[in-house]
């Protein structure tokens, strides 16, 4: 369905060999390998599910699994790692673990692991020549530790080759999310995905779909894999693109991120024309009157300063302080900044999330609605982050008892996620259940409000929405596709 070709100015790329429509899966690809991030305790090392109770590997005491089924499924990948960790005395960092897993797999199967693979790992870009001295220094520390960790009885490789694989995962490692797709919990390598070039306004999106991991028999487990999905109509012969960075940044900032992390200059239409940059920094027009440029600049700078304070309050888990900072910033700047101003949208996003966490559902719903209104003017209509924001808004309106808006938002979210995630994704299934629930409640509400309210009380007691445990933005997992060294 795809053809490898030389993309003008971008090196290799993939183009469609037939026509696609919104929501079509263009290809799926299992990872060559993937590892759970350092310090993530409650994630299964085989299926990447989040579980409170995991069983750990009796040998290395490092790997954790849901159950024997997952342990068996993960054994092929863990076998050599297990004895290496034991011999080394501890688990090395995630980059070293991933490189080692990839290299054991290359030693076993060669660098083309399936007939679907369009490119060998040797051919992938490592961008070592583009790195700064400091970045190379960090690399050398990793390589040094890797050589201590790599077992004597495994096949020995040249330092150049090890450097190459480290470089490849540094610029091509893809963030792997937990099974619900709400948070990045690890990093993996998907060679075909590396061939899809970037565009700030892309025609495809990538989603991780772990599919069915609950069956007891491992033969029914679907592989950990990504799906490249079409966001709209794509003509045969058109290049396939995904976005490596969040569109909610200004063109200049997106270009800076792409240059420092992926080593290229973005020349897409949206960057060249600085499309929507004006909206992202706009002032609020009231009855035809706009604030002055100075007023807008002052409000923008104030927001920017507050973002740092917010981050500190979030890190220290001081949510009441966080609400105070955001609330104060919104009160001060909302009269001046447009509803599409990206700093104001960040305030709305944080407020809706934290207020929901603190169970102030009416406030949460108001900010979630403002956030979605702004997002709709900026994002592509089928952007996954927009879908997730609409879902969050739908849930908070439902929690606040605002059933009509809540149901509308959930339907909107469902329509977007059917395109970006597909019908079998756990989140889409959850959303479908919520859509049916809210539709039923809405009918009830229109017939008899009193019965509706007592029914709702029972539903809330019985089934609290488990979607957002802790404030950690749902959209974040979607916005930052590729895993980067911090």
């Amino acid at each position: 369905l795809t053809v490898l070709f030389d993309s003008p100015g971008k090196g290799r790329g993939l183009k469609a060999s037939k026509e696609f429509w919104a929501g079509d899966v263009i290809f799926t690809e299992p990872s060559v390998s993937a590892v759970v991030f350092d310090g993530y305790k409650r994630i299964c090392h085989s299926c990447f599910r989040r579980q409170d109770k995991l069983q750990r590997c009796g040998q290395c005491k490092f790997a954790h699994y849901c159950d024997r089924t997952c342990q068996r499924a993960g054994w092929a990948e863990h076998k050599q790692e297990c004895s290496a960790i034991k011999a080394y005395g501890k688990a090395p960092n995630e980059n070293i673990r991933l490189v080692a897993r990839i290299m054991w797999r290359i030693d076993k199967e060669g660098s083309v692991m399936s007939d679907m693979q369009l490119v060998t790992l040797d051919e992938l870009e490592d961008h070592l020549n583009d790195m700064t001295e400091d970045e190379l220094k960090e690399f050398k520390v990793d390589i040094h530790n890797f050589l201590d960790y790599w077992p004597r009885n495994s096949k020995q490789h040249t330092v150049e080759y090890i450097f190459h694989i480290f470089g490849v995962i540094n610029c091509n490692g893809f963030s792997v999310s937990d099974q619900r797709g709400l948070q990045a919990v690890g990093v993996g390598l998907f060679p075909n995905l590396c061939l899809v070039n970037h565009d700030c306004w892309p025609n495809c999106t990538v989603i991780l779909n772990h599919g069915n991991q609950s069956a007891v028999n491992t033969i029914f487990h679907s592989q950990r894999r990504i799906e490249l999905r079409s966001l709209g109509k794509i003509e045969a012969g058109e290049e396939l693109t995904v976005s490596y960075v969040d569109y909610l940044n200004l063109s200049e900032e997106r270009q800076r991120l792409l240059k420092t992390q992926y080593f290229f200059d973005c020349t897409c239409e949206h960057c060249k024309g600085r499309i929507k940059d004006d909206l992202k920094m706009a002032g609020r027009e009231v009855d035809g009157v706009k604030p002055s440029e100075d007023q807008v600049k002052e409000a923008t700078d104030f927001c920017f300063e507050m973002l740092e304070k917010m981050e500190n309050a979030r890190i220290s888990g001081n949510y009441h302080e966080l609400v105070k900072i955001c609330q104060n910033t919104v009160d001060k700047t909302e009269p001046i900044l447009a509803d599409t101003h990206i700093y104001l949208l960040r305030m709305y996003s944080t407020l809706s999330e934290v207020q929901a966490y603190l169970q102030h559902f009416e406030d949460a719903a108001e900010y979630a609605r403002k956030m979605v209104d702004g997002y709709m003017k900026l994002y592509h209509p089928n952007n996954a982050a927009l879908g997730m924001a609409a879902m969050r808004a739908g849930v908070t309106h439902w929690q606040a008892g605002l059933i009509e808006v809540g149901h509308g938002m959930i339907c909107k979210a469902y329509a977007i996620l059917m395109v970006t995630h597909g019908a079998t994704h756990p989140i889409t299934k959850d959303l479908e259940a919520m859509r049916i629930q809210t539709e039923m409640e809405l009918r009830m509400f229109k017939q008899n409000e009193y019965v509706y309210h007592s029914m709702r009380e029972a539903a809330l007691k019985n089934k609290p929405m488990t979607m957002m445990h802790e404030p950690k933005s749902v959209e974040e997992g979607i916005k930052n596709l590729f895993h980067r060294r911090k």
Side-chain angles (χ1 to χ4, degrees):
L1 301 180
T2 60
V3 183
L4 191 55
F5 79 117
D6 280 320
S7 175
K10 291 183 177 179
R12 284 173 313 190
L14 286 184
K15 60 182 177 184
S17 59
K18 58 169 261 207
E19 185 178 82
F20 292 105
W21 293 87
D24 284 347
V25 175
I26 298 169
F27 68 73
T28 65
E29 179 180 29
S31 63
V32 166
S33 182
V35 295
V36 172
F37 285 147
D38 298 339
Y40 276 64
K41 292 280 184 284
R42 299 204 297 271
I43 305 292
C44 170
H45 284 211
S46 172
C47 72
F48 285 68
R49 267 171 187 267
R50 180 181 297 285
Q51 303 272 25
D52 282 336
K53 289 209 166 41
L54 291 171
Q55 301 170 359
R56 67 178 183 175
C57 170
Q59 296 288 314
C60 67
K61 311 274 191 284
F62 168 71
H64 285 73
Y65 300 100
C66 297
D67 48 33
R68 292 300 297 274
T69 310
C70 276
Q71 190 167 6
R72 278 199 299 273
W75 181 240
E77 269 197 281
H78 179 55
K79 187 175 169 183
Q80 283 162 296
E81 173 184 79
C82 188
S83 51
I85 288 174
K86 259 192 342 195
Y88 189 57
K90 63 175 198 280
N93 72 35
E94 61 212 31
N95 291 330
I96 295 172
R97 295 197 324 269
L98 182 59
V99 169
R101 281 186 159 206
I102 290 168
M103 288 175 62
W104 280 313
R105 188 147 181 210
I106 292 171
D107 293 346
K108 196 168 128 195
E109 301 174 44
S111 74
V112 177
M113 290 149 200
S114 79
D115 38 1
M116 301 303 287
Q117 196 178 318
L118 298 167
V119 61
T120 69
L121 301 191
D122 306 350
E123 294 172 276
L124 289 175
E125 271 301 340
D126 59 24
H127 286 293
L128 293 173
N129 299 334
D130 299 312
M131 286 188 185
T132 63
E133 273 307 303
D134 287 350
E135 286 174 313
L136 281 171
K137 249 192 216 127
E138 274 182 47
F139 253 56
K140 285 178 179 149
V141 173
D142 270 352
I143 301 243
H144 180 82
N145 291 331
F146 175 88
L147 293 170
D148 285 346
Y149 170 67
W150 188 253
R152 298 278 166 270
N153 60 357
S154 287
K155 184 179 164 189
Q156 299 302 306
H157 294 270
T158 65
V159 175
E160 284 81 29
Y161 190 65
I162 299 168
F163 247 115
H164 169 71
I165 300 291
F166 269 99
V168 164
I169 66 159
N170 183 50
C171 54
N172 294 295
F174 181 80
S175 295
V176 176
S177 55
D178 58 10
Q179 85 281 11
R180 296 170 59 87
L182 290 184
Q183 196 193 4
V185 294
V187 54
L189 184 65
F190 299 83
N192 289 354
L193 179 61
C194 301
L195 296 168
V196 181
N197 283 318
H198 162 85
D199 194 295
C200 291
W201 196 260
N203 55 18
C204 297
T205 186
V206 185
I207 195 72
L208 215 101
N209 193 349
H210 299 300
N212 174 23
Q213 226 73 48
S214 53
V216 176
N217 190 332
T218 36
I219 54 175
F220 296 119
H221 279 209
S222 39
Q223 282 170 305
R224 213 179 27 230
R225 58 188 185 155
I226 54 102
E227 295 175 343
L228 184 73
R229 306 179 67 93
S230 169
L231 290 178
K233 187 170 181 231
I234 298 175
E235 304 287 352
E238 201 179 319
E239 177 164 14
L240 304 170
T241 54
V242 292
S243 180
Y244 297 176
V245 293
D246 183 19
Y247 182 67
L248 239 51
N249 291 309
L250 295 171
S251 306
E252 202 178 333
E253 174 62 7
R254 292 197 309 271
Q255 287 178 307
R256 192 189 63 76
L257 287 169
L258 291 163
K259 187 68 175 170
T260 52
Q261 298 183 342
Y262 305 94
F263 312 105
F264 69 83
D265 297 300
C266 186
T267 56
C268 78
E269 294 306 313
H270 277 67
C271 282
K272 279 197 302 216
R274 299 186 168 279
I275 298 175
K276 299 200 183 189
D277 277 10
D278 52 345
L279 281 176
K280 293 177 191 175
M281 284 282 140
R284 182 177 298 259
E285 193 173 319
V286 185
D287 302 328
V289 182
K290 282 185 180 163
S292 72
E293 273 184 36
D294 286 347
Q295 284 174 303
V296 174
K297 185 180 180 326
E298 196 183 328
T300 300
D301 292 346
F302 180 71
C303 273
F304 188 72
E305 268 169 53
M306 291 302 124
L307 285 170
E308 198 173 335
K309 285 197 172 160
M310 271 166 52
E311 205 35 53
N312 295 336
R314 181 197 282 273
I315 290 165
S316 57
N318 189 344
Y319 296 133
H320 291 284
E321 176 65 15
L322 186 55
V323 168
K324 220 165 76 184
I325 297 168
C326 290
Q327 199 76 64
N328 176 28
T329 311
V330 167
D331 293 345
K332 210 167 156 173
T333 60
E334 203 175 36
I336 301 159
L337 302 178
D339 63 348
T340 51
H341 194 291
I342 51 179
Y343 295 164
L344 194 55
L345 286 173
R346 253 195 249 171
M347 297 289 164
Y348 291 158
S349 172
T350 305
L351 273 168
S352 70
E353 200 175 358
V354 178
Q355 292 287 36
Y357 176 67
L358 299 173
Q359 312 224 318
H360 304 155
F361 295 125
E362 277 166 28
D363 289 343
E366 182 196 349
Y367 291 117
R369 198 190 65 252
K370 289 178 173 178
M371 172 177 76
V372 171
D373 288 346
Y375 278 12
M376 281 170 64
K377 294 173 190 171
L378 295 174
Y379 275 128
H380 182 288
N382 281 338
N383 185 295
L386 172 60
M388 296 304 249
M391 172 174 83
R392 210 162 98 197
V395 174
T396 42
H397 279 80
W398 176 78
Q399 286 167 319
L402 302 164
I403 187 69
E404 292 187 75
V405 181
H407 177 65
M409 286 279 186
I410 282 168
C411 289
K412 177 164 189 49
Y414 184 72
I416 296 173
L417 293 201
M418 279 295 280
V419 172
T420 59
H421 289 57
T424 64
H425 197 283
I427 283 270
T428 320
K429 286 182 179 166
D430 283 355
L431 208 46
E432 166 121 77
M434 279 162 57
R435 197 185 55 150
I436 294 166
Q437 165 93 8
T438 52
E439 194 173 331
M440 186 176 76
E441 288 184 22
L442 183 57
R443 274 208 302 272
M444 197 77 178
F445 175 74
K446 287 179 174 167
Q447 283 164 2
N448 183 332
E449 281 193 38
Y450 173 72
V451 176
Y452 158 73
H453 281 291
S454 49
M455 192 174 111
R456 189 176 157 268
E457 288 304 309
L460 278 170
K461 277 200 191 79
N462 167 24
K463 185 187 161 196
M465 280 294 161
T466 51
M467 303 207 68
M468 300 108 205
H469 299 305
E470 275 276 318
K472 53 158 193 308
S473 176
V474 170
E475 291 90 74
E476 288 311 307
I478 295 260
K479 286 176 179 175
N480 306 317
L481 266 195
F482 289 92
H483 159 68
R484 279 292 147 273
R485 279 168 185 266
K486 292 295 170 278

